[in-house]
Amino acid sequence: MALKIRKNRSPEPPPGCPLTECMSVIGGAWTPNVIWSLRAGPRRFSELRLDIPPVSPKVLTMRLRGLEEKGVVNRKVRPTSPPSVEYSLTALGEELVPAIEAIVAVGHKIKQR
Amino acid sequence: MALKIRKNRSPEPPPGCPLTECMSVIGGAWTPNVIWSLRAGPRRFSELRLDIPPVSPKVLTMRLRGLEEKGVVNRKVRPTSPPSVEYSLTALGEELVPAIEAIVAVGHKIKQR
DNA sequence: CTGAATCCCCTGCGATACTG
DNA sequence: CAGTATCGCAGGGGATTCAG
């Protein structure tokens, strides 16, 4: 009965390719903005929301969690009375700042047309 | 009547932001691979397909068209008997090679973990 | 050979409301 | 403050087929 087995379905380029590997890190919506914002120093959750107004808390959380588990950002919970959580770039996270900078630089060039 | 006008529906960060601007260029699936492939020199349609096997012709065309209209690649039709089209990076296109390189470099770092 | 046209599924993301 | 839960839609991208 025409049982199509499930065509490969590889929505993304082969994992293992460094290019793809990194794109999966910065590819999500708002991700570059988050990193860009963190680049200047540690930021709390709500501060990030202020830095990037249109992002919803859900997505911000998703990005932060994703980045955390990829070792790009640190999540430090401060046991204060009003809970506060501080996010910062790890060493690895710092590594991709230049990449983002390169992207921003090209962005300028593109805008100029 | 609580008519919330807003609802902006801005699936993407504000256009005008250079970061976003560039991400919209290299953000599509396979786009970085295409640029990466073109980096070494001009390539024809089918050559690109060989370079990036899993990409479908439809998507490849979409990417190429998108990149063309953003002034990143040149499309040169050769009026040969079997039609052949050559794609190459424009000056602007060359500009974003470093960005991709930076991304690839980070990709390596990430893989090493 | 280089695409254009179709179909269709899947995920990502937005919005909103609720909790510790 | 810092998230979590739920819902829903739109669009991106895969497969396949047709055309100049």
Side-chain angles (χ1 to χ4, degrees):
Chain A
M1 47 259 317
L3 174 52
K4 308 271 232 130
I5 295 284
R6 227 347 159 182
K7 255 30 184 54
N8 226 338
R9 271 270 143 236
S10 60
E12 299 277 311
C17 164
L19 209 175
T20 305
E21 209 64 45
C22 183
M23 284 304 285
S24 74
V25 172
I26 63 176
W30 306 111
T31 308
N33 304 74
V34 170
I35 297 173
W36 189 253
S37 185
L38 253 27
R39 171 198 53 117
R43 278 261 190 283
R44 296 176 39 200
F45 191 85
S46 47
E47 289 178 319
L48 288 172
R49 295 200 62 188
L50 291 175
D51 289 342
I52 319 165
V55 72
S56 73
K58 177 183 121 181
V59 173
L60 183 52
T61 301
M62 292 177 78
R63 291 296 95 90
L64 256 8
R65 289 287 194 267
L67 292 174
E68 185 190 1
E69 90 181 35
K70 277 158 188 160
V72 170
V73 308
N74 276 322
R75 180 170 181 270
K76 184 174 303 186
V77 180
R78 200 86 60 70
T80 59
S81 31
S84 92
V85 183
E86 200 176 73
Y87 293 92
S88 56
L89 291 182
T90 63
L92 178 57
E94 306 272 7
E95 304 254 33
L96 39 77
V97 169
I100 310 258
E101 276 172 350
I103 293 174
V104 171
V106 178
H108 278 118
K109 299 270 180 61
I110 293 174
K111 277 191 61 180
Q112 287 173 4
R113 322 244 145 177
Chain B
M1 36 175 32
L3 174 52
K4 309 265 236 134
I5 303 276
R6 268 313 248 89
K7 239 26 165 124
N8 220 332
R9 267 264 147 240
S10 60
E12 298 276 310
C17 163
L19 209 175
T20 305
E21 210 65 45
C22 182
M23 283 305 283
S24 75
V25 172
I26 63 175
W30 305 110
T31 306
N33 304 74
V34 170
I35 297 173
W36 189 251
S37 186
L38 252 27
R39 172 198 51 119
R43 279 261 190 284
R44 296 177 37 201
F45 191 84
S46 48
E47 289 178 319
L48 288 172
R49 295 199 63 188
L50 291 176
D51 288 342
I52 319 165
V55 73
S56 72
K58 177 185 121 181
V59 172
L60 183 53
T61 300
M62 292 176 75
R63 292 294 97 90
L64 255 9
R65 288 288 192 267
L67 293 174
E68 184 188 1
E69 88 181 36
K70 277 156 187 161
V72 171
V73 308
N74 277 322
R75 180 170 181 270
K76 184 174 303 185
V77 180
R78 200 86 61 74
T80 58
S81 31
S84 91
V85 183
E86 200 178 73
Y87 294 92
S88 57
L89 291 181
T90 64
L92 179 57
E94 306 273 8
E95 305 255 31
L96 40 77
V97 169
I100 310 259
E101 277 173 349
I103 293 174
V104 171
V106 178
H108 278 117
K109 298 269 180 60
I110 293 174
K111 278 192 61 179
Q112 287 174 3
R113 325 242 143 178

